């Protein structure tokens, strides 16, 4: 079954390229042996740099299940998730992930996955996109409000 | 100006909690000294685990500018971007980022940012959410099609 669902993700990726819809990636979310949602990469057709196949499949699965978490679900993706998609997988609380190609295959095809993984290890201010910490007096205020807000939904 | 835009992100984060709309985070995209888009965290109200403030602000800015890249734009965020948002920042090709709190402040408030950064350093199969590489015969087919597809839009 695992190979079949992963093959489905690969087929979606191939079709996404053949139809010139977007990048060579596909992803499928499965729960209890059934496909909940699937998507190819939609960055260029949706004008959304976050619309990777995994993020799209996660968003669609959440919409379908009416939840912001995907507990008990497995993600099948044609390629190892980039850091953005890896983060999305954790926030969605998926159970496990299967992937076909890896970050080096993606790099060989001209994509930045491996580069972004390397950037994470560099001090924020020294990165290619510099990320600078500014000290402001009430920076902690949102967290302080969160601690005392009783109407909050934890996620 | 940098402190003012960052303060705006903090104010959005505080308001997001006070109105019980979502998590204690806010982000602002700025181009040529003007706000292009801004958002609080919308994970629970949108039922979308990827709807962090930074991702939302990036998506909205792209929609407004009609582009899947944010070249020349700066992101101001109330807290250091998590790995998902860091990835989104690279894919959107933002110019730079300013942040107020850091991943340890987020961890102290009960959020997984620091945990996810730590997970990235672990071998995929050994992570808390196991990520397993399956070898399939035509795994490279999407990348091979991408190499020869002349109608593709690079991103």
């Amino acid at each position: 079954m695992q190979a079949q669902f992963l093959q489905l993700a690969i087929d979606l990726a191939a079709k996404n390229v053949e139809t010139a819809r977007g990048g060579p990636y596909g992803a499928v979310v499965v729960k209890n042996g059934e496909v909940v949602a699937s998507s190819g990469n939609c960055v260029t057709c949706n004008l959304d740099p976050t619309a990777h196949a995994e993020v799209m499949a996660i968003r669609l699965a959440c919409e379908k299940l009416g939840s912001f978490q995907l507990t008990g679900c497995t993600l099948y993706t044609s390629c190892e998730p980039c850091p953005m998609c890896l983060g999305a997988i954790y926030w969605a609380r998926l159970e496990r992930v299967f992937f076909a190609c890896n970050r080096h295959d993606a790099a060989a095809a001209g994509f930045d996955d491996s580069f972004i993984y390397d950037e994470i290890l560099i001090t924020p201010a020294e990165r290619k996109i510099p990320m600078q910490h500014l000290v402001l007096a009430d920076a902690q205020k949102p967290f302080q409000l969160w601690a005392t807000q009783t109407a909050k939904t934890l996620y």
Side-chain angles (χ1 to χ4, degrees), chain A:
Chain A
M1 283 299 276
Q2 290 165 354
Q4 280 177 348
F5 288 127
L6 192 56
Q7 186 61 53
L8 185 55
I10 295 170
D11 292 345
L12 276 167
K15 192 178 163 195
N16 210 47
V17 179
E18 286 170 331
T19 58
R21 184 169 162 78
Y25 301 97
V28 179
V29 173
V30 172
K31 187 171 189 175
N32 299 329
E34 291 192 9
V35 174
V36 178
S38 66
S39 184
N41 172 293
C42 299
V43 168
T44 52
C45 59
N46 285 12
L47 297 183
D48 178 356
T50 74
H52 283 197
E54 297 95 320
V55 167
M56 289 297 294
I58 287 171
R59 280 184 206 158
L60 290 168
C62 285
E63 196 180 318
K64 197 154 175 186
L65 298 176
S67 168
F68 55 81
Q69 298 196 341
L70 296 175
T71 317
C73 294
T74 299
L75 181 76
Y76 295 83
T77 172
S78 63
C79 189
E80 182 185 1
C82 78
M84 176 178 74
C85 295
L86 182 144
I89 287 161
Y90 278 90
W91 292 116
R93 309 199 191 288
L94 282 147
E95 194 168 286
R96 64 190 308 189
V97 176
F98 291 96
F99 61 93
C101 296
N102 65 29
R103 68 183 79 174
H104 306 295
D105 299 320
F111 294 94
D112 284 345
D113 306 52
S114 186
F115 163 70
I116 299 173
Y117 271 110
D118 292 343
E119 284 284 288
I120 287 176
L121 305 179
I122 298 169
T123 310
E126 306 298 323
R127 291 178 185 146
K128 288 284 190 305
I129 299 179
M131 302 186 184
Q132 194 178 330
H133 185 207
L134 282 190
V135 179
L136 293 190
D138 62 350
Q140 298 291 335
K141 187 181 165 195
F143 287 134
Q144 290 159 353
L145 290 167
W146 181 254
T148 56
Q149 167 62 281
T150 52
K152 68 190 169 215
T153 303
L154 295 171
Y155 62 92

